[in-house]
């Protein structure tokens, strides 16, 4: 049985499932550099000022790919001890995540993406930093060796910025009882402490709690110590807001506004629309338009040379270490890939993957492609013409 490994491939280089990591950029290099500069500028070590940006372009231009690429970049580096970002990046496929379209449902969805385990980890990190403040105060007073430092608790709380105190108290409790904190954050239960009143059952409350949570994660709880350097929220397919009722879309936009207002630093939000900017301005409230930190960023359709380079990089990303085919188009020829690109419409990463996968699979199964052989242009043409 012929395997991908025999063709110098560790894994399928053309995954159709869209929700996996995206390691290779598809499109213009200058756009890639601009977007990387944008997300880096949000970090605490850089400028640290919040960015609110809108991507736009034709359907299939690669906006989703771009957002997933940025999320993967941040996630990969944040998982390393010496990473570039040490940040939190969240990707949401579209603003409508439930039957009801409002910010409350979006908030619940974001909390589910975060997950109980990750929230518990953040709770532990907040408590660890708070305990360090507590120990410093006790030591300064000559009680560093005393086990019970509860008498210094309120003094330690006063070291926290006033707007962050409620969330810090809440998350500290979550270090030992994460179930109740998670149920509150996701909107299922009332707050069982005195940090917040009632449940998260309104758009206003959802935006407040989410902004408090993100702000504490990025705050300097101790000098030069933060849980994360920055938080990113990437929301795709925002054109669904155009078809929604104004009463619904306004709830989502108002939630976005509250996030930006409450998170002036170390927060990056990028929305993507598959419509012209005129339509965006027609439905996005003026109060939110004024908060955009940059002009609209257009994601153009892939040009042929960019698409061919992207496919080559994608193939080589899945090669085994020290492969003798590193840097080549194998098991394709460059001419075969150029033919596939020229006959894929529209030229999107997903469509390119589908056509390349079809050609590779049929070349092996129907035309008995053997390891060491390559797919020539003529074979690619024959296969694609046979399935269209």
């Amino acid at each position: 049985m012929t395997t991908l490994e025999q063709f110098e491939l560790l894994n399928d280089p053309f995954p159709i499932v869209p929700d996996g990591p995206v390691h290779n950029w598809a499109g213009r290099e200058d756009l890639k550099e601009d977007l990387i500069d944008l997300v880096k500028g949000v970090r605490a070590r850089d400028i640290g000022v919040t960015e609110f940006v809108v991507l736009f372009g034709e359907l299939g231009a690669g906006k989703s790919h771009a957002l997933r690429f940025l999320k993967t970049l941040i996630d990969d580096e944040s998982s390393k001890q010496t990473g570039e970002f040490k940040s939190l990046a969240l990707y949401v496929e579209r603003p409508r995540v439930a039957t009801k379209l409002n910010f409350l449902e979006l908030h619940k969805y974001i909390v589910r993406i975060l997950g109980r385990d990750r929230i518990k980890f953040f709770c532990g990190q907040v408590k660890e930093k708070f305990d360090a403040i507590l120990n410093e105060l006790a030591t300064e007073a000559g009680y560093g060796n005393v086990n019970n430092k509860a008498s210094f608790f309120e003094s330690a709380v006063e070291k926290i910025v006033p707007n962050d105190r409620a969330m810090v108290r809440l998350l500290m409790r979550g270090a030992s009882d994460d179930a109740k904190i998670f149920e509150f954050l996701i909107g299922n239960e009332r707050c069982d402490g005195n940090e917040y009143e009632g449940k998260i059952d309104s758009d206003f409350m959802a935006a407040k709690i989410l902004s408090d949570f993100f702000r504490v994660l990025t705050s300097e709880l101790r000098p030069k110590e933060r849980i994360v350097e920055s938080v990113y929220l990437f929301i795709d397919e925002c054109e669904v807001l155009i078809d929604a009722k104004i009463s619904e879309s306004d709830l989502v936009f108002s939630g976005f506004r509250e996030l930006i207002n409450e998170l002036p630093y170390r927060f990056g939000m990028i929305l993507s629309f598959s419509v012209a900017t005129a339509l965006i301005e027609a439905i996005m409230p003026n109060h939110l338009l004024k908060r955009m930190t940059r002009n609209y960023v257009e994601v153009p359709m892939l040009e042929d040379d960019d698409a061919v380079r992207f496919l080559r990089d994608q193939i080589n990303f899945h090669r085994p270490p020290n492969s003798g085919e590193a840097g080549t188009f194998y098991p394709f020829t460059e001419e075969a890939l150029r033919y596939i690109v020229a006959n894929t419409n529209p030229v999107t990463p997903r469509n390119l993957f589908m056509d390349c996968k079809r050609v590779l699979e049929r070349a092996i199964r129907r035309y008995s492609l053997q390891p060491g052989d390559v797919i020539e242009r003529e074979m690619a043409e024959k296969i694609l013409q046979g399935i269209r």
Side-chain angles (χ1 to χ4, degrees):
M1 179 179 176
T2 306
T3 63
L4 287 174
E5 286 81 359
Q6 292 173 299
F7 288 94
E8 297 290 316
L9 294 169
L10 289 174
N11 305 293
D12 177 12
F14 310 119
I16 304 303
V17 178
D19 58 355
V22 171
H23 295 275
N24 293 307
W25 175 256
R28 290 183 352 212
E29 285 297 308
D30 59 339
L31 176 59
K32 170 187 170 182
E33 295 305 318
D34 286 346
L35 291 176
I36 291 177
D37 285 345
L38 187 153
V39 296
K40 282 187 175 181
V42 176
R43 300 179 305 181
R45 80 181 76 172
D46 290 276
I47 299 172
V49 175
T50 284
E51 293 274 13
F52 167 42
V53 178
V54 169
L55 300 186
F56 79 100
E58 294 181 40
L59 185 66
K63 299 179 297 299
S64 300
H65 193 91
L67 293 182
R68 292 180 188 277
F69 172 84
L70 293 174
K71 181 185 181 328
T72 302
L73 175 71
I74 294 166
D75 286 347
D76 284 356
E77 293 297 340
S78 295
S79 66
K80 300 173 185 175
Q81 203 64 27
T82 57
E84 272 286 300
F85 284 90
K86 295 181 182 175
S87 300
L88 173 65
L90 302 169
Y91 172 84
V92 180
E93 293 87 349
R94 61 193 62 85
R96 184 183 287 280
V97 294
T99 304
K100 292 182 178 179
L101 177 62
N102 54 40
F103 193 81
L104 176 60
E105 294 299 331
L106 187 58
H107 161 87
K108 293 178 180 179
Y109 187 79
I110 290 169
V111 173
R112 286 197 292 271
I113 292 175
L114 283 165
R116 180 172 162 178
D117 288 344
R118 186 154 47 175
I119 289 175
K120 182 179 181 180
F121 171 76
F122 289 145
C123 288
Q125 290 286 297
V126 170
K127 187 175 188 308
E128 181 181 304
K129 295 189 185 305
F130 186 84
D131 285 348
I133 298 172
L134 204 63
N135 286 329
E136 288 171 357
L137 290 173
T139 300
E140 289 173 5
Y143 292 94
N145 295 325
V146 176
N147 290 330
N148 188 351
K149 300 181 176 66
S151 60
F152 296 95
F153 185 87
E154 291 304 324
S155 297
V157 169
E158 291 178 3
K159 295 284 187 181
I160 305 297
V161 176
N163 285 350
D164 293 344
R165 290 174 188 172
M167 182 57 67
V168 167
R169 284 176 180 266
L170 182 81
L171 295 181
M172 279 198 299
R173 290 198 296 110
S176 56
D177 191 2
D178 63 288
K180 287 185 178 179
I181 302 306
F182 182 76
E183 289 301 308
F184 166 68
L185 290 176
I186 208 166
N188 291 339
E189 300 289 345
R190 295 173 63 88
C191 180
D192 64 326
N194 57 8
E195 298 89 5
Y196 295 98
E197 185 176 343
K199 288 176 62 175
I200 302 174
D201 55 6
S202 68
D203 294 274
F204 172 79
M205 188 67 167
K208 174 174 175 49
I209 297 299
L210 195 60
S211 59
D212 282 1
F213 180 70
F214 287 161
R215 192 175 57 250
V216 165
L217 292 186
T218 61
S219 291
E220 204 170 28
L221 298 180
R222 297 183 69 221
K224 299 182 179 180
E225 290 188 18
R226 308 173 195 274
I227 310 300
V228 297
E229 279 201 295
S230 44
V231 172
Y232 302 89
L233 182 57
F234 303 141
I235 304 184
D236 211 351
E237 298 182 22
C238 287
E239 61 271 13
V240 302
L241 296 171
I242 293 174
D243 298 324
K245 297 176 182 177
I246 294 177
S247 59
E248 293 179 328
S249 61
D250 276 353
L251 294 175
V252 178
F253 286 133
S254 293
F256 292 159
R257 180 190 63 188
E258 292 306 316
L259 282 182
I260 295 168
N261 286 350
E262 295 298 321
L263 297 164
Y265 302 103
R266 300 173 293 279
F267 177 60
M269 185 166 68
I270 303 181
L271 311 179
S272 85
F273 288 81
S274 293
V275 294
T277 57
L279 276 176
I280 300 172
E281 292 179 350
I283 60 111
M284 189 182 290
N286 198 44
H287 61 70
L288 192 56
L289 287 169
K290 288 181 177 179
R291 286 165 173 79
M292 287 176 56
T293 54
R294 306 197 180 202
N295 292 330
Y296 298 101
V297 177
E298 182 177 8
V299 179
M301 296 296 284
L302 278 173
E303 295 183 357
D304 286 4
D305 286 344
D306 289 331
V308 171
R309 181 172 61 251
F310 165 63
L311 290 173
R312 183 195 62 198
D313 292 345
Q314 185 70 16
I315 291 169
N316 281 280
F317 179 80
H318 292 275
R319 294 223 192 273
N322 304 316
S323 169
E325 299 293 344
T328 72
F329 295 88
Y330 180 78
F332 298 83
T333 63
E334 180 177 353
E335 291 71 22
L337 284 183
R338 287 196 175 277
Y339 175 81
I340 292 171
V341 168
N343 288 273
T344 298
N345 186 33
V347 185
T348 68
R350 187 174 189 275
N351 287 344
L352 289 171
F353 283 177
M354 289 180 66
D355 283 348
C356 286
K357 183 189 286 289
R358 288 166 175 161
V359 170
L360 179 59
E361 288 180 349
R362 295 203 180 192
I364 294 173
R365 187 172 61 250
R366 185 174 296 183
Y367 295 97
S368 302
L369 186 75
Q370 297 298 309
D373 294 342
V374 292
I375 299 170
E376 302 282 357
R377 180 190 184 281
E378 291 74 17
M379 183 180 293
E381 183 176 357
K382 187 183 299 183
I383 292 170
L384 286 183
Q385 287 180 348
I387 60 177
R388 289 179 174 159

